[in-house]
Amino acid sequence: MTRALLAGLAILAASAAMAADATGEWTRDDGAARIRFSTCGGDALCGFIAWKKDPKGPGKIGEQVFFDMKPNGADSWAGTAYNPEDGKRYTGKLTLSGDHLTTAGCVFGGLICKSFGWSRAR
């Protein structure tokens, strides 16, 4: 009985270790910006502008653009996204696939979304 319990705990620990990790720095596919995701309260993620190609454009380095992104299924998170270009908040989504991250800001309950692709910065 003890061995079965220990084996079950080992499997759970291995599964948790293999869970997707979106924390770290990501470069937008068009090279225009970098964003840094870190944990912010429990299992939520928050994202901040880490670098911009055009520092004079909207948005400032260190500005938070993703808020309280909580797990929402396998390798995905949902919360709030802020677009510095128009100053509005949207329903935010993150989807991770290997070293590629897709972020989206959506309106009308997710019917209309604008997405950006990101690659893990090295």
Side-chain angles (χ1 to χ4, degrees):
M1 176 82 160
T2 303
R3 282 187 177 177
L5 180 60
L6 289 175
L9 289 174
I11 290 170
L12 285 175
S15 296
M18 292 187 305
D21 182 14
T23 61
E25 201 161 295
W26 298 83
T27 302
R28 200 160 95 178
D29 287 347
D30 65 3
R34 280 191 177 190
I35 194 164
R36 180 180 22 84
F37 282 100
S38 57
T39 57
C40 56
D43 57 356
L45 295 176
C46 291
F48 302 84
I49 298 172
W51 174 86
K52 292 175 30 174
K53 188 173 191 175
D54 178 10
K56 294 179 183 180
K60 308 247 183 288
I61 305 300
E63 184 172 13
Q64 188 170 355
V65 290
F66 286 95
F67 300 82
D68 203 28
M69 303 296 288
K70 294 186 178 174
N72 188 35
D75 302 336
S76 65
W77 295 260
T80 303
Y82 171 72
N83 181 354
E85 293 179 6
D86 64 13
K88 295 181 181 178
R89 292 180 183 259
Y90 298 92
T91 299
K93 297 179 183 182
L94 304 177
T95 306
L96 182 63
S97 178
D99 279 344
H100 190 264
L101 180 71
T102 301
T103 61
C106 305
V107 295
F108 301 121
L111 292 176
I112 300 173
C113 298
K114 183 171 184 179
S115 300
F116 291 99
W118 306 77
S119 297
R120 194 174 291 277
R122 304 221 187 277

